[in-house]
Amino acid sequence: MPIELVATEAKRQMEVRLSRRLHEVANQRIWFDERPGPIRVDVRFDDGGRVLIDLGPGLGKLSNTADMEDLESLLINTFDLELADQVTHRGISFLFDGKDMYFYRPEERPPPPRQRARMRSWPRVVLSPGHGHYRLYGEKDSYSWVFQRTEQHGVQEDVITMEYARLLKEEMSQRPGMLTPRLTRLDWDLTHAETRKPWSYISARYYLAWEYPENPEIWHSLPEDKTKGRERLEDIRSRPLFANHIGADALVHLHTNAEPSGKVRGARAYHYKDSPESKKLADSLLCGLKEVIRAQPKYKDFQIDDESRNDGDYGENRLAAMPSALVELAFHSNEKDAAALLDENFKRAAVSGLTKGVQLYMDGEGCEPFVVTEVGQGSGYIHSNATMIFSYKGSPRPPVIFNFEEIGCNPSAAECMSQQDSRDIEPSPMIYYGLRCPGVPGVRKYRLTLIDRDGVASSPVEGEVNCKYSHY
């Protein structure tokens, strides 16, 4: 039920309960060295159906920090778990004593959103695998290199996002009409001299500093920041700033998700709330993920959002001048989701789905399931190939398997016209020439299923072919 339709008193009780629960979760640890006191959390629903979470005035100046993004992510996931699909809303916004982050940090306002990605014959896409090793500072500028996330159920988010990015880069570079995407992290296994770790473990900030030493505005965008986690925040910012610098057409961030209970599952995507084009991109990515992942029998029920979310003010999306989407592939805090993230079949399906999503967005295509919508009666001569015309919707990846099964035919007693054929699929409506008529004339009924290269199958449809005697 939409939150706008909930009775006033019931809504008020919900606000009180959620405020109490989120306050409890937010204060289970110290988030900010600069302000280690308790965090006030107040939840209310506005008249437009949005959720407003107010964290009080003291955190306004910290509203752009990496720790604030982590806190907001925790509160968003906790909020969703507490509601458990009781009501729907139009997104979650965070306030600080009734004011948004731009009141305290006007420099964080995003660039003007584009109305449409600047299309070119070979679109330029940036892939940004999340997190990676960074320098965490201590006293007197001492520091240690640490991962940004803790390992859970065998998944180290800082590492696995690069694995997915590598596969996605390879997949996209092989698709017609796509340039090889640019990565915000170095995908080579050279050794990083200071950490003695592979460069692929190192976060974007340091790779971009090495690649663009004359452009510190990309990777050292907060020179006055002296907080301990300053380079983690610069790492977050460096990704959209790099994409802006090279004039990318689209930016896709790859992450895995987490929340304390371990109960929440599934894939999600986030876009900046004031960017309609980013929503289109994020929705297309979810569409591709859902179609290809669920085509795999093991993952036919894998939870994937129908629509992208505009919760929070994530810097990776907010600072992008082009359409930008942040994809959470699964929850590594959930044991089953973590197992999926480590499964090679899931990885291949996910990167194929993301590639399809990018293509759908770039081509301006909507999210339509792969279905055969109409089959015309075919005709042909015995012992020869018949011709048929059919129409379909969706965006199947070629080659496509045409699986014909004759209805009511007993192979042990008669010659059946059942067959399977793999070929490229033409724009709808398509003329198919290749269904072979057997040696006995008559009208034959068949069941047709199409299966594309990613394993996405259309629902079976029935048709007829009139097999006739030859005139010769």
Side-chain angles (χ1 to χ4, degrees), residues 269-298:
Y270 293 87
H271 66 274
Y272 183 61
K273 59 181 179 292
D274 293 331
S275 175
E277 283 300 321
S278 292
K279 174 174 171 49
K280 292 178 184 178
L281 171 61
D283 286 347
S284 294
L285 293 170
L286 286 175
C287 176
L289 282 174
K290 180 177 293 188
E291 188 170 49
V292 181
I293 288 177
R294 289 185 177 174
Q296 317 311 310
K298 185 176 179 180

Side-chain angles (χ1 to χ4, degrees), residues 203-400:
S203 67
R205 182 200 183 279
Y206 309 100
Y207 162 60
L208 295 172
W210 173 72
E211 184 80 2
Y212 294 91
E214 304 302 319
N215 299 102
E217 69 277 7
I218 297 175
W219 47 269
H220 190 33
S221 59
L222 300 171
E224 304 303 319
D225 188 349
K226 301 302 179 185
T227 59
K228 294 180 179 179
R230 55 188 177 268
E231 293 190 0
R232 185 160 81 98
L233 179 56
E234 287 185 331
D235 176 54
I236 290 172
R237 297 167 60 89
S238 69
R239 300 157 188 266
L241 296 178
F242 164 68
N244 294 348
H245 180 76
I246 66 169
D249 295 302
L251 173 58
V252 178
H253 307 275
L254 300 179
H255 285 263
T256 62
N257 215 337
E259 60 81 39
S261 76
K263 298 177 182 179
V264 184
R265 301 191 61 189
R268 302 175 174 182
Y270 293 87
H271 66 274
Y272 183 61
K273 59 181 179 292
D274 293 331
S275 175
E277 283 300 321
S278 292
K279 174 174 171 49
K280 292 178 184 178
L281 171 61
D283 286 347
S284 294
L285 293 170
L286 286 175
C287 176
L289 282 174
K290 180 177 293 188
E291 188 170 49
V292 181
I293 288 177
R294 289 185 177 174
Q296 317 311 310
K298 185 176 179 180
Y299 298 107
K300 61 184 177 63
D301 297 319
F302 190 81
Q303 185 173 334
I304 301 173
D305 279 1
D306 292 324
E307 189 175 3
S308 60
R309 304 170 181 230
N310 61 9
D311 305 328
D313 288 299
Y314 299 116
E316 287 163 286
N317 285 335
R318 187 184 72 247
L319 298 175
M322 72 295 301
S324 175
L326 189 155
V327 179
E328 301 276 11
L329 293 163
F331 278 80
H332 62 255
S333 52
N334 177 275
E335 188 173 0
K336 292 182 178 179
D337 269 23
L341 287 166
L342 296 168
D343 180 10
E344 293 301 320
N345 291 328
F346 182 89
K347 289 180 182 179
R348 286 193 293 271
V351 298
S352 290
L354 290 169
T355 302
K356 172 171 276 190
V358 171
Q359 285 187 315
L360 287 173
Y361 174 73
M362 293 297 180
D363 294 340
E365 300 287 342
C367 182
E368 289 190 307
F370 183 29
V371 294
V372 177
T373 57
E374 184 179 0
V375 178
Q377 186 178 54
S379 64
Y381 299 106
I382 59 172
H383 300 302
S384 300
N385 288 336
T387 300
M388 55 170 287
I389 299 177
F390 71 94
S391 300
Y392 68 91
K393 292 183 179 179
S395 302
R397 181 186 176 197
V400 171

Side-chain angles (χ1 to χ4, degrees), residues 156-229:
Q156 178 68 59
E157 182 181 0
D158 309 70
V159 175
I160 203 168
T161 54
M162 177 57 86
E163 294 177 14
Y164 276 83
R166 280 173 161 166
L167 292 171
L168 185 54
K169 176 184 176 182
E170 180 181 358
E171 180 82 11
M172 290 178 65
S173 65
Q174 294 174 358
R175 297 291 180 96
M178 283 194 174
L179 282 174
T180 300
R182 294 287 300 273
L183 265 60
T184 58
R185 289 167 59 184
L186 186 62
D187 60 336
W188 301 350
D189 286 325
L190 297 173
T191 300
H192 181 253
E194 187 174 347
T195 63
R196 308 307 300 169
K197 300 283 187 182
W199 257 104
S200 58
Y201 284 19
I202 308 302
S203 67
R205 182 200 183 279
Y206 309 100
Y207 162 60
L208 295 172
W210 173 72
E211 184 80 2
Y212 294 91
E214 304 302 319
N215 299 102
E217 69 277 7
I218 297 175
W219 47 269
H220 190 33
S221 59
L222 300 171
E224 304 303 319
D225 188 349
K226 301 302 179 185
T227 59
K228 294 180 179 179

